[in-house]
Amino acid sequence: MFKFAVGLRTKVILISSLLLALPWLGYKYVWEMEKLLRQGQEQTLIGTTRAVATALNERPALFNDQASFLSNVKKGRDLYAYSLHSPIKLDGNLSDWSAYQGNMTQYGREFSQFSRRPYSSDSLSFRHTIGKYQGYLYAMFEVNDQFPVLRRKSSLRVDRNDHLIVAFTSPTNEFHRYVIAAYEDGWVNAFEVKRDISDPNNLTPANHIQGYWRTTDTGYNIELRLPLSDLGSKLGFTFYDVNNQSNRMIDAIIGTSNTSQASRLGTVLIPSPEIDKILKGMGHTSSRIMVIDRHQRVLAQSGDIQDSNGVWSTSVKYDDRDTSWWAQFEEAYIHPFYYKFFISEPEAFSDNAQDAAWLKGVPVAQALQGRGYSQWRMSSDGKALILSAAYPIWLGNNVMGAVIAEESTIGIQMLRNRALEKLFNVFIAIIAIGTLTLFLFASNISSRIRQLRDEAEIAIDSQGRIKQDMVASDDRDEIGDLSRSLSAMVGRLGQYHHYLEHLSSRLSHELRTPVAVVRSSLENLSMHNTDKESQRYIERAEDGIHRLSTILSSMTEATRIEQSIQGAEKEVFPLNELVSGCLQGYQMAYPDQAFTINVPDKPLMFEGAPDYLAQLLDKLIANAEEFSPNDQAICVTLVNEPLSASLTVSNHGPLLPENMENQLLNSMVSIRAQEKKNKPHLGLGLYIARLITDYHHGDIQIQNKTDNTGVKVTIKLPKVNSLQNS
């Protein structure tokens, strides 16, 4: 019954959990809406690139020689000036360039122009990058040189030591060469080289080019600065290495390009300020927009991908003015739960394309082929989804470049999260109210079922006897019908049990008269002279009458004890002496049976009916003797426990059948084998023992011994608290 009640509550809870399907459907709906929003964002971003590209179409002045009219662009030779976030301090320690480590190019064997010995990267190599900031071009060089050789202070020559040649064309396409050579670490200036560098008369100070030389453990660092107004479309740097302090001969030459002639210089691409102005004039701040030439080099850039959340970002900002208790509770407890299990919160991310000089990818390739294209990609750290759209820039029938616009999906994510928060709040309220209602309903049903269970347990004891009737419920539902059915069933069982309990006394009373008639008739027949055959039948009839009389006596005994025990008077007596005295009598009554006894030496005072307790012990010993082999002792143990006296009778012999322990205590139940039935057994011995135990408010248990060698009967007789054992 209890399991049924618990199961009913569980089923109600499971049924209520089906309400979780509602938020799941809402959750899927929000995700579908997010897909639609992404499609809208994609179309909007393509429109943005088309609009910017339209503003740049057919404007050749924006795509000069330095940008797009080259047939080939080689990385390392053709340089790109990154936009610097702040001016560079010329001190030679390169700390200001740490944010641009990923944009530096390593120059080694493939950029070697001359080497007196087989090339080794340990002898001469360098890392290099350039950038622009407010009208100046900055350059850094981290040179790896095992034997740096500086310029001698007494020498006017600048080519008999390690030195750097800087060559570029002016905006008017004039070729200029400059040499930088240092006496010692510190500030250095450049000298313009007119013709032969070995003639000091061909050197002219160029104070507009400034730099700093610093010796390091692996070579030396150089930082330079020159005005952008002096710089045209070509630029190159070359290092000349001297390793011998004596002859000071050039051992190796390595550089970005050959600086001896203007035609051998590489190009330099500086982001176009004109295109920057056009991008800023668009007034578009929700996207990162880049313009590239046909060689995929970035000409201009506007916007930051961290702020490019999409056009929805402004519509999902939380109202900071809401300071109600519910808003504070929601922010402190509910939202963390959502974002831990159900909602993914936008993370801070980084993207290497922010400062890239060359852009690659499918959208760029498609745009340079004359087709607009969009694609979703992950950020470089994999923490955000970025939408890239590209559209070509036309000059006549030629594609001169492309416009690239990028946005993250943070705005859509914030909008989705806000919708999910509201959705979950509503569904949690619905589920909480529904679950509480169903739980209260299930609790009411469970309590009524538990009440039925309790009444049933009180009405019927462990032996199946009806102790009291069940009260029928007046409720008109199914549980009320069940209560009334159980009440009627218990009533009918009680009547039947009452009939069975009094059946033995009725049979005993009704059978005594015919048994007496038969016995007297047999006695009369036996006094007449009869032949041997007739005498044999008379003896068999007398034996049957004797067995029947024994049965009636046993039935009468059980009935008599059951009726008289209620009126027995209790007295205080030493229980240990009673058990010891009875055992002495049993040893005389069963001379062939061995007994062992273990009782306390100290008197164990007990309040009860000694005659009935002795009769209880008689029944237990008689029952044990019938099943125990004579060579195996019957063990009787009396233990004085804190709250009770424990009496145990154990014997060797056959084990109890499964699930028969409690049934043996009922009336007229026996499991004796056929060879033991030389006299009638009605199974009343243990039944009488149970009656006497119940009278003393005790507990009797029959079970197999733990070693499976026999059976033991344990009786717990509670002691009276007022008695003190002396």
Side-chain angles (χ1 to χ4, degrees), residues 92 145 148 150 184-186 212-221:
D145 186 358
L150 298 181
E184 59 185 359
D185 288 2
Y212 197 96
W213 185 299
R214 178 186 292 272
T215 303
T216 65
D217 295 336
T218 59
Y220 52 91
N221 297 336

Side-chain angles (χ1 to χ4, degrees), residues 79-83 130-132 137 228 268-271:
L79 306 178
Y80 180 86
Y82 295 91
S83 295
I130 59 176
K132 70 159 188 172
L137 181 75
L228 285 173
V268 57
L269 179 61
I270 301 173

